[in-house]
Coordinates of all heavy atoms in Angstrom, one line a residue:
N54 N 36.7 -58.4 0.4 CA 36.5 -59.7 -0.1 C 35.4 -59.7 -1.2 O 34.3 -59.6 -0.9 CB 36.2 -60.7 1.0 CG 35.9 -62.1 0.5 OD1 36.7 -62.6 -0.4 ND2 34.9 -62.8 1.1
I175 N 37.3 -30.6 15.4 CA 37.7 -29.3 16.0 C 36.5 -28.4 16.1 O 35.6 -28.5 15.4 CB 38.9 -28.7 15.2 CG1 38.4 -28.3 13.8 CG2 40.1 -29.6 15.2 CD1 39.4 -27.5 13.0
K200 N 20.0 -25.3 7.6 CA 20.0 -26.5 8.5 C 21.4 -27.2 8.4 O 21.4 -28.4 8.2 CB 18.9 -27.4 8.1 CG 17.5 -26.8 8.1 CD 17.1 -26.2 9.5 CE 15.7 -25.5 9.4 NZ 15.4 -24.8 10.7
L216 N 25.4 -18.3 16.4 CA 26.6 -18.7 17.1 C 26.2 -19.5 18.3 O 25.4 -19.0 19.1 CB 27.4 -17.4 17.6 CG 28.5 -17.7 18.6 CD1 29.7 -18.5 18.0 CD2 29.1 -16.4 19.2
E222 N 31.1 -22.7 31.2 CA 31.3 -22.7 32.6 C 32.3 -21.6 33.0 O 32.9 -21.0 32.1 CB 31.9 -24.0 33.1 CG 30.9 -25.2 32.9 CD 31.5 -26.5 33.5 OE1 32.7 -26.8 33.3 OE2 30.7 -27.3 34.1
A261 N 21.3 -20.8 35.1 CA 22.6 -21.3 34.9 C 22.6 -22.6 34.1 O 23.5 -22.9 33.3 CB 23.3 -21.5 36.2

Side-chain angles (χ1 to χ4, degrees):
N54 175 41
I175 60 172
K200 306 300 180 186
L216 167 66
E222 295 183 320

